[in-house]
Amino acid sequence: MTPSPDEPGIASRPPVILAVDDSRTQLALLEFALLQAGFQVHTAHDAAEGLASARKQRPDAVISDVLMPEMDGFAFCRALLGEPELRRVPVILLTGLTSPDDILRGLECGASGFISKPCEDAFLVDTVRRAIASQKLRAEGGLPGSQGISYCGKAYTVDADPRLVLELLLSTYANAVRQNAELVRIREALRDSNTELERRVRERTAALEAEIAVRVQAEERLLQMATHDSNTGLANRTRCMDQLADAIAQATRYGHLGAVLFLDLDGFKLVNDRHGHAVGDLLLREVGRRLVGAVRCTDTVARVGGDEFVVVLGRVEAVAQATATAERILEQLRTPMEIGGPTCTVGASVGISIFPSDGITPDQLMRRADMAMYAVKQSGGGGLRHARGKTLPPGSGGKQRSHHGKR
């Protein structure tokens, strides 16, 4: 039987606590916390061992887990308090159960308090000390009779006076407050964690988007460099040949004509020698701009050499249409160009090849148009020539059409 506070030596020894738990880890944590607080501690790994230890040690308080095999904490509490010599020992139930039914079951079996797992060491120690102090107060007033309590249609018989019930309710309330504070802390930590995670996701997303944009721009620049002339921005020879191949495929599929105009500027070397390469580059850009303005948006204008340009007419209804386009280009180029100060004038020699009469591959059409352009150059430049015709001066499209008509 637990000694009364008036017995000799009770104040000189530390309170004896019996801890009962089937988890060795939880039991070790309980033992360490209670020893640190100055208690004398005995341990048991199940209810049967706990009863045997209680009979032998006569503890000042018992802490028992509720969920144990064979005999749970409620049955253990009832069995321990059913022994005359142990009936005044305060029993504190350690549990994860928190419903009112569980609390009433604890009251019914005579428990003095509840502690929810996990718990802080300070709360555990304070609960044990209050339980021991309350037991001393109750010992002075004797044991009251049993009381009946009804909850949710169930009847419970509680062998405790109102003070014990109040203490248990206050203990439960304190436990609830502690758990609520912990939940608030966890929610705040989770909210802060989510906020930080969202911030990092936003930053990473922005960084990835920026990186992707840089890569796309780099790929676009590389593609532009690989397929376009760096000075004029026009298609280069590689791009021109690809476009010509597509135009041939379309003409073959739909049965219409196509044309290639091969241009070489007349007088460009003189501009370069007189005004320098910077002015020459500006002049090439202006030539490219005028060529683009002289044809349809579906046609291709390319710079394929120093002062050589190619126009791919993807669809023409007749040879005369290609001739008229070449004459329009020559007319555009004859207009003087103001290039960064000096006024420059250039002409052009134009060779024309027709699909499919002059070739059925990009190489054949380009070669025939190039040869026709060279023939214009040999004749003094400043005109146009079909691959199978003779050199014509600008404005003689009618004669050229007549020539092709004879073929």
Side-chain angles (χ1 to χ4, degrees):
M1 183 175 184
T2 304
S4 69
D6 297 329
E7 291 185 19
I10 188 65
S12 62
R13 68 170 178 83
V16 177
I17 309 300
L18 171 62
V20 184
D21 200 311
D22 61 319
S23 168
R24 294 184 180 274
T25 300
Q26 182 64 35
L27 197 58
L29 292 173
L30 287 172
E31 183 179 16
F32 178 79
L34 294 169
L35 288 173
Q36 288 293 104
F39 294 109
Q40 182 180 341
V41 184
H42 297 279
T43 60
H45 297 91
D46 56 40
E49 185 181 346
L51 285 172
S53 180
R55 294 184 189 111
K56 180 179 179 180
Q57 303 299 335
R58 307 292 179 85
D60 294 294
V62 175
I63 301 175
S64 174
D65 188 21
V66 168
L67 300 179
M68 295 188 296
E70 297 182 7
M71 182 185 295
D72 64 17
F74 297 123
F76 168 69
C77 179
R78 188 177 292 106
L80 185 142
L81 297 178
E83 299 198 9
E85 296 182 346
L86 299 173
R87 64 192 181 91
R88 296 189 179 184
V89 176
V91 178
I92 301 168
L93 296 179
L94 187 64
T95 179
L97 306 175
T98 56
S99 74
D101 283 326
D102 299 321
I103 296 172
L104 287 171
R105 286 184 65 192
L107 280 171
E108 190 176 37
C109 71
S112 299
F114 277 90
I115 297 179
S116 294
K117 295 188 294 186
C119 67
E120 298 176 356
D121 291 350
F123 184 79
L124 169 69
V125 170
D126 182 64
T127 301
V128 172
R129 285 176 174 161
R130 283 192 290 104
I132 294 173
S134 296
Q135 176 57 33
K136 290 179 180 179
L137 292 175
R138 286 196 297 273
E140 297 174 355
L143 290 173
S146 299
Q147 301 181 58
I149 297 177
S150 177
Y151 174 75
C152 293
K154 296 181 181 179
Y156 298 87
T157 301
V158 178
D159 187 15
D161 65 10
R163 286 182 299 174
L164 175 60
V165 175
L166 179 59
E167 289 171 4
L168 187 55
L169 290 176
L170 289 174
S171 173
T172 304
Y173 175 76
N175 199 28
V177 170
R178 181 181 62 84
Q179 287 185 322
N180 186 64
E182 179 66 12
L183 287 174
V184 170
R185 186 191 66 78
I186 292 173
R187 281 197 296 268
E188 290 177 349
L190 182 60
R191 181 192 61 202
D192 293 342
S193 177
N194 287 339
T195 301
E196 176 64 14
L197 180 60
E198 290 172 358
R199 183 188 65 79
R200 292 185 180 183
V201 168
R202 286 195 300 270
E203 290 180 353
R204 183 56 180 157
T205 301
L208 287 174
E209 290 175 348
E211 183 178 345
I212 291 172
V214 169
R215 290 186 179 184
V216 169
Q217 291 174 0
E219 290 174 359
E220 290 175 349
R221 284 196 298 270
L222 289 174
L223 180 61
Q224 178 76 10
M225 292 170 61
T227 59
H228 290 76
D229 173 56
S230 60
N231 181 38
T232 63
L234 300 175
N236 61 13
R237 179 178 288 274
T238 300
R239 176 71 171 171
C240 178
M241 296 300 282
D242 289 342
Q243 294 293 95
L244 179 54
D246 290 342
I248 290 172
Q250 290 292 313
T252 302
R253 180 177 180 181
Y254 296 107
H256 57 71
L257 303 179
V260 173
L261 312 183
F262 203 115
L263 293 81
D264 185 274
L265 298 182
D266 299 329
F268 176 71
K269 185 177 183 303
L270 181 62
V271 173
N272 249 351
D273 293 343
R274 180 177 298 173
H275 302 292
H277 292 290
V279 172
D281 287 344
L282 292 174
L283 185 143
L284 290 174
R285 294 176 196 172
E286 177 61 19
V287 169
R289 189 187 67 79
R290 294 189 181 190
L291 290 177
V292 171
V295 299
R296 300 165 299 189
C297 62
T298 55
D299 298 326
T300 299
V301 179
R303 181 190 177 198
V304 296
D307 59 352
E308 294 178 338
F309 295 82
V310 169
V311 176
V312 177
L313 303 178
R315 180 187 182 103
V316 294
E317 302 302 329
V319 174
Q321 184 178 347
T323 304
T325 301
E327 291 181 338
R328 186 165 59 251
I329 289 173
L330 291 174
E331 182 66 25
Q332 289 278 349
L333 295 181
R334 277 195 294 271
T335 303
M337 307 177 191
E338 292 186 3
I339 307 296
T343 299
C344 304
T345 302
V346 294
S349 300
V350 183
I352 304 172
S353 62
I354 302 296
F355 172 85
S357 60
D358 296 327
I360 58 174
T361 69
D363 287 336
Q364 290 174 349
L365 292 170
M366 289 286 282
R367 185 170 62 254
R368 295 285 177 83
D370 188 12
M371 292 172 61
M373 180 273 296
Y374 185 74
V376 176
K377 280 285 191 184
Q378 292 295 95
S379 300
L384 59 91
R385 179 186 178 92
H386 284 267
R388 297 186 183 185
K390 62 182 180 180
T391 302
L392 298 175
S396 57
K399 296 179 181 179
Q400 184 66 21
R401 285 191 294 275
S402 175
H403 176 79
H404 272 272
K406 292 177 182 179
R407 289 190 291 134

